[in-house]
Amino acid sequence: MMNEYIIAYGIPVIIFMNQFSRNTQTRCRIPEYYKVTVYAYEDYAPGQLVFAWYKNGMLMGDSGVMFEVVDSDNKIVYYPIFPLQIAAPLLKKWHMELPPKWSVYTSAMEKKEPAVNPINQQMRNLLAYARLFVSMQQRFSTPMPLGFKDVFEQLHDYPEQAIDGTVVSLINKVISQYLYMNTTVSNCRNLKEFITYLHNKYKMLDFIDSDFSQLRRLLQEEEPGMQCFF
């Protein structure tokens, strides 16, 4: 159904911000007009250009919360982003919980989490790196690539469970579609090169594990001969 909708850019975004992002009161009224869900909570790379949907599109800091706002009448979807201090009152007002954070940094790992299946953890880490790669190519509110959000949330809801080769194959194919775009990051032939780029550029940061050996094994078993893009 959402395939029929257009993602808002440009003038519709400016109109939305002028109408709903002037202050806390106007932001809180968004659900009076549209269907709203909390979409993602994620860390950005240092210096990454991500523009918030308030104060005329000011630059974000280290992280942000993205919402999905659906205008059913006009078949438009907005993806407004706010820093946590702006998003937190909205989450409370709208009775929504902050979702698991997308992050490639060890400092953001959840504490006291139940035992996580190793394959589950490798896929979470892979999705976090892939999501950052995709978002660094855009300066606009970019929704998740196909399958990313559903798989990521499922892995967090059921940490003791693993995924199978069909999921790995899907994610691998989606990653490949973004590697050949004109990127603002670097000309990466695979996600491994992007991860190397991150580690070399930000040597003072601690990154999550990038060992995806079990996922590669599942991919080979599911799709023998398929090129691995991570």
Side-chain angles (χ1 to χ4, degrees), residues 7 18 25 27 95 130 134 145 188 199 203 210:
I7 298 174
N18 288 337
Q25 289 70 32
R27 286 190 288 271
H95 306 288
V134 171
C188 300
H199 287 223
K203 295 182 184 295
S210 58

Short mmCIF file of all heavy atoms in Angstrom, two decimals, residues 7 18 25 27 95 130 134 145 188 199 203 210:
data_model
loop_
_atom_site.label_atom_id
_atom_site.label_comp_id
_atom_site.label_asym_id
_atom_site.label_seq_id
_atom_site.Cartn_x
_atom_site.Cartn_y
_atom_site.Cartn_z
N ILE A 7 7.29 10.06 -1.21
CA ILE A 7 8.05 10.59 -0.08
C ILE A 7 8.22 12.10 -0.27
O ILE A 7 8.64 12.55 -1.34
CB ILE A 7 9.42 9.91 0.03
CG1 ILE A 7 9.24 8.42 0.29
CG2 ILE A 7 10.24 10.54 1.16
CD1 ILE A 7 10.54 7.63 0.29
N ASN A 18 6.76 24.70 8.36
CA ASN A 18 6.15 25.99 8.70
C ASN A 18 4.85 25.80 9.47
O ASN A 18 4.51 26.60 10.35
CB ASN A 18 5.88 26.80 7.43
CG ASN A 18 7.16 27.33 6.81
OD1 ASN A 18 8.17 27.48 7.49
ND2 ASN A 18 7.11 27.64 5.52
N GLN A 25 4.01 23.07 20.77
CA GLN A 25 2.55 22.97 20.65
C GLN A 25 2.12 22.54 19.24
O GLN A 25 1.25 21.68 19.07
CB GLN A 25 1.89 24.30 21.01
CG GLN A 25 1.94 24.66 22.49
CD GLN A 25 3.34 25.02 22.96
OE1 GLN A 25 4.14 25.56 22.19
NE2 GLN A 25 3.64 24.72 24.22
N ARG A 27 3.98 20.99 17.00
CA ARG A 27 4.46 19.63 16.73
C ARG A 27 3.53 18.60 17.36
O ARG A 27 3.25 17.55 16.76
CB ARG A 27 5.89 19.45 17.23
CG ARG A 27 6.94 20.14 16.37
CD ARG A 27 8.34 19.74 16.78
NE ARG A 27 8.73 20.31 18.05
CZ ARG A 27 9.31 21.50 18.19
NH1 ARG A 27 9.57 22.26 17.12
NH2 ARG A 27 9.66 21.95 19.38
N HIS A 95 2.25 8.66 23.43
CA HIS A 95 2.29 7.32 24.03
C HIS A 95 3.05 6.33 23.15
O HIS A 95 2.60 5.22 22.89
CB HIS A 95 0.87 6.81 24.31
CG HIS A 95 0.04 7.75 25.12
ND1 HIS A 95 0.26 7.96 26.47
CD2 HIS A 95 -1.00 8.55 24.78
CE1 HIS A 95 -0.61 8.84 26.93
NE2 HIS A 95 -1.38 9.22 25.93
N ALA A 130 25.07 -0.95 7.25
CA ALA A 130 24.45 -0.71 5.95
C ALA A 130 23.53 0.51 6.01
O ALA A 130 23.49 1.32 5.07
CB ALA A 130 23.68 -1.94 5.50
N VAL A 134 23.83 4.02 3.76
CA VAL A 134 22.74 4.58 2.96
C VAL A 134 22.44 6.01 3.38
O VAL A 134 22.28 6.90 2.54
CB VAL A 134 21.48 3.69 3.08
CG1 VAL A 134 20.28 4.38 2.44
CG2 VAL A 134 21.72 2.33 2.45
N PRO A 145 15.99 1.16 3.74
CA PRO A 145 15.92 0.30 2.56
C PRO A 145 15.00 -0.89 2.82
O PRO A 145 14.71 -1.24 3.97
CB PRO A 145 17.38 -0.16 2.38
CG PRO A 145 18.19 0.89 3.05
CD PRO A 145 17.37 1.35 4.21
N CYS A 188 32.69 2.80 -2.95
CA CYS A 188 32.82 1.50 -2.31
C CYS A 188 32.25 0.41 -3.21
O CYS A 188 31.14 0.54 -3.72
CB CYS A 188 32.08 1.48 -0.97
SG CYS A 188 32.70 2.69 0.21
N HIS A 199 36.50 3.08 9.87
CA HIS A 199 37.50 2.80 10.89
C HIS A 199 38.77 3.63 10.68
O HIS A 199 39.42 4.03 11.65
CB HIS A 199 37.83 1.31 10.89
CG HIS A 199 36.74 0.45 11.46
ND1 HIS A 199 36.97 -0.60 12.31
CD2 HIS A 199 35.39 0.50 11.31
CE1 HIS A 199 35.83 -1.16 12.66
NE2 HIS A 199 34.86 -0.51 12.06
N LYS A 203 39.39 7.11 13.82
CA LYS A 203 40.24 6.17 14.58
C LYS A 203 39.99 6.25 16.09
O LYS A 203 40.29 5.30 16.81
CB LYS A 203 41.71 6.44 14.29
CG LYS A 203 42.12 6.17 12.84
CD LYS A 203 43.60 6.42 12.64
CE LYS A 203 44.00 6.25 11.18
NZ LYS A 203 43.84 4.87 10.73
N SER A 210 32.48 -6.19 13.15
CA SER A 210 32.13 -6.30 11.73
C SER A 210 32.50 -7.68 11.18
O SER A 210 32.78 -7.82 9.98
CB SER A 210 32.83 -5.21 10.92
OG SER A 210 34.23 -5.27 11.08
#
